[in-house]
Amino acid sequence: GEDVEQSLFLSVREGDSSVINCTYTDSSSTYLYWYKQEPGAGLQLLTYIFSNMDMKQDQRLTVLLNKKDKHLSLRIADTQTGDSAIYFCAESSNTGFQKLVFGTGTRLLVSP
Amino acid sequence: KAGVTQTPRYLIKTRGQQVTLSCSPISGHRSVSWYQQTPGQGLQFLFEYFSETQRNKGNFPGRFSGRQFSNSRSEMNVSTLELGDSALYLCASSLAAGMSGNTIYFGEGSWLTVV
C-alpha cells in the first residue's frame, strides 16, 4: 500500500541550510509535493516534482528525488525564523492524481 | 486571483448533529478534494470531485459525504457527529490536468469541534 514517512523534528540555526527527508513506498507515484503548515493555518504549496525529474530548484528551495530508493528531500537554503513550521511530504499516483498520501510532517524549528 | 475559500472557518457542534462545510475552488479549477487532519491520524484523504462526479473516495464511513456543483463549488457533509470527528477539514483544488501538471492548492480549512 501507500505509505509516506518523515522524521518528526528538525532544529537548525538561522542562516544554516535545512534538509527535510521523506521516503515513500508507492512505485507508481507520479507527483511528489512539499507543503508548509504554520500554526492554525492550512497547507501552503511550496513545490512539487514530477517523478521523471531528479531535481528541482526554486529560489531557496531545492528538491531532490531518488526514485530508485523512493527518497525525496527538501533543502531550504539560508533558513530563516519565518521558516519555522511543519513540512509535509505527499505523493500522488497515476490512479488518482488528486488523491494525496501525506507523511506525518516534520516540525522545523529555526533558532536565532 | 483568489485562493481556495472555505467556510465556515470555525464551528462547534454537538454529538449527533450534522454539519455542512463549503469550499470554493480557485477560478477555473474543476477538481475539488477534501482531507481531514487530526493529531492522531494526520492528514487523510476523504474524497475528490471532478465535474460534479465523485472520482475517488478515502476510507471513511458513509456518514461522510460530499457533492460538487456545476460551478465547481463543493460541499461536504458529516451526519450523526461523533467526538472523533473533531478535526481540521481541508479543501484542495486543482486544474486536474493529469500528466501535464498537477498543482494542488489548499484552503485555510474549517475547524470543527464536536462536544
Side-chain angles (χ1 to χ4, degrees), chain A residues 31 33 35 37 48 98 100, chain B residues 35 37 94 98-99 102-104:
Chain A
Y31 291 95
Y33 299 81
Y35 286 91
Q37 187 175 40
Y48 74 99
Q98 318 311 320
L100 297 180
Chain B
Y35 292 79
Q37 185 177 24
S94 74
M99 302 293 281
N102 202 49
T103 43
I104 301 176

Side-chain angles (χ1 to χ4, degrees), chain A residues 31-34 45-50 56 63, chain B residues 100-103:
Chain A
Y31 291 95
L32 294 129
Y33 299 81
W34 285 103
L45 175 64
L46 293 176
T47 186
Y48 74 99
I49 189 168
F50 190 49
K56 182 177 181 182
V63 178
Chain B
S100 306
N102 202 49
T103 43

Side-chain angles (χ1 to χ4, degrees), chain A:
Chain A
E2 305 150 328
D3 192 22
V4 179
E5 292 193 0
Q6 300 178 239
S7 52
L8 289 179
F9 187 74
L10 176 65
S11 180
V12 301
R13 289 203 176 274
E14 195 172 23
D16 288 349
S17 290
S18 307
V19 178
I20 303 171
N21 295 300
C22 169
T23 57
Y24 60 97
T25 58
D26 188 357
S27 57
S28 68
S29 291
T30 49
Y31 291 95
L32 294 129
Y33 299 81
W34 285 103
Y35 286 91
K36 175 184 179 183
Q37 187 175 40
E38 297 183 74
L43 298 176
Q44 176 192 350
L45 175 64
L46 293 176
T47 186
Y48 74 99
I49 189 168
F50 190 49
S51 58
N52 68 352
M53 298 169 65
D54 297 325
M55 185 182 97
K56 182 177 181 182
Q57 190 151 2
D58 185 0
Q59 299 182 331
R60 291 191 298 125
L61 305 178
T62 303
V63 178
L64 294 178
L65 174 60
N66 181 328
K67 199 172 179 183
K68 174 177 165 289
D69 294 338
K70 299 190 182 71
H71 182 267
L72 182 74
S73 68
L74 173 70
R75 178 177 179 269
I76 306 172
D78 187 26
T79 314
Q80 303 297 306
T81 53
D83 294 324
S84 294
I86 300 176
Y87 291 78
F88 290 95
C89 164
E91 64 168 0
S92 69
S93 72
N94 57 11
T95 59
F97 292 117
Q98 318 311 320
K99 178 187 173 185
L100 297 180
V101 176
F102 283 89
T104 51
T106 298
R107 183 178 295 274
L108 173 65
L109 178 64
V110 183
S111 52

